[in-house]
């Protein structure tokens, strides 16, 4: 099994090594290809720098990633990196896309704006299954909790593979002993996602866009996450709706 590990936090994020360890625990062949800089909030955008028709990339060792794992910093969004990988630009196309571990939650319908989830959406349009993983804190501490949850979900996906499935996992930043468990969850009406903003003076900030759930006691991903559960949501990639009624459209004249 070939696995692409990417993210939207950039090549310097420790979350990449978490997913590398989870993938290698299942015996996968892993390639890390992540943005050279923070690309939070990029959704599935296909933006990047090219030179002579090729994406600009450099060998950069992500923190904690073993030396025997190929590791690239690419001047592109995670969506474009995944598209390039799916088309064989980094070698044989991956069988699975792992994206994250993101610093901060990606919940609710706001996942539409997430670069972390956007990478998995892009893979799905090329028939590649994927898992997006987020740790619900801007400066997480409990990466081991995210790793344990990611590995548990991966084992389920590998045991029952499905073409183009998009899976979104959010993990509370708590010790594994305090985690309440992992639950299937529906998306909140909005939820939370992050965006990277470059200020005019050259500074950089990451902004989280969120809206509280209508009810903190319901079964949405945002509500369950706040109550200490790791949440797993299946998200539909863009598809056409061929069954819902739509009146004929007639042009004037």
């Amino acid at each position: 099994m070939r696995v692409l590990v990417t993210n939207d936090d950039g090549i310097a994020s420790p979350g990449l090594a978490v997913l590398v360890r989870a993938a290698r625990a299942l015996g996968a062949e892993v390639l890390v290809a992540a943005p050279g800089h923070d690309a939070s909030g990029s959704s599935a955008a296909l933006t990047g720098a090219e030179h002579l028709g090729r994406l600009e990339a450099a060998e950069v060792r992500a923190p904690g990633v073993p030396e025997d794992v190929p590791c690239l910093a690419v001047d592109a969004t995670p969506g474009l990196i995944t598209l390039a990988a799916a088309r064989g630009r980094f070698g044989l196309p991956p069988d699975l896309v792992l994206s994250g571990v993101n610093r901060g939650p990606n919940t609710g319908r706001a996942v539409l704006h997430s670069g972390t989830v956007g990478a998995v959406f892009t893979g799905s349009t090329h028939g590649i299954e994927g898992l997006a993983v987020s740790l619900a804190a801007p400066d997480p501490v409990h990466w081991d909790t995210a790793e344990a949850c990611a590995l548990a979900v991966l084992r389920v996906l590998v045991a029952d593979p499905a073409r183009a499935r998009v899976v979104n996992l959010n993990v509370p930043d708590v010790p594994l002993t305090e985690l309440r468990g992992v639950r299937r969850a529906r998306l909140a009406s909005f939820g939370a996602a992050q965006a990277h903003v470059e200020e005019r003076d050259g500074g950089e900030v990451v902004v989280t866009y969120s809206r509280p759930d209508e009810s903190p006691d319901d079964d949405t991903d945002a509500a369950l996450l706040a109550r200490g559960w790791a949440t797993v949501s299946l998200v539909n990639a863009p598809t056409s709706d061929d069954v819902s009624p739509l009146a004929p459209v007639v042009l004037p004249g």
Side-chain angles (χ1 to χ4, degrees), residues 124-229:
S124 74
T125 63
H126 288 74
I128 302 171
E129 187 173 26
L131 171 65
V133 185
S134 301
L135 194 49
D139 294 300
V141 175
H142 302 288
W143 297 101
D144 57 328
T145 304
E147 183 176 346
C149 291
L151 180 55
V153 174
L154 276 176
R155 292 189 189 281
V156 173
L157 300 186
V158 171
D160 182 25
R163 181 177 172 86
R165 183 165 48 186
V166 175
V167 183
N168 188 40
L169 169 65
N170 281 277
V171 182
D173 187 29
V174 298
L176 186 57
T177 54
E178 296 180 14
L179 183 70
R180 296 184 67 179
V182 182
R183 284 184 59 175
R184 177 84 177 264
R186 62 186 178 89
L187 296 181
S189 60
F190 185 82
Q194 293 180 320
H196 176 255
V197 180
E198 293 187 5
E199 297 181 322
R200 291 184 181 274
D201 61 2
E204 297 182 356
V205 296
V206 175
V207 180
T208 297
Y209 296 98
S210 63
R211 189 174 73 202
D213 246 2
E214 288 81 358
S215 170
D217 298 321
D218 64 21
D219 60 350
T220 65
D221 54 356
L224 289 169
L225 184 66
R227 301 206 304 270
W229 293 90

Side-chain angles (χ1 to χ4, degrees), residues 2 85-96 128:
R2 295 182 300 275
R87 293 187 174 182
R89 295 294 182 90
F90 305 125
L92 292 174
D95 303 302
L96 180 72
I128 302 171

Side-chain angles (χ1 to χ4, degrees), residues 48-58 72-76 80 84-85 87-91:
E50 291 191 2
H51 178 67
L52 299 177
R54 297 181 65 87
L55 283 177
E56 293 191 354
L72 298 174
V74 187
D75 194 357
L80 183 53
R87 293 187 174 182
R89 295 294 182 90
F90 305 125

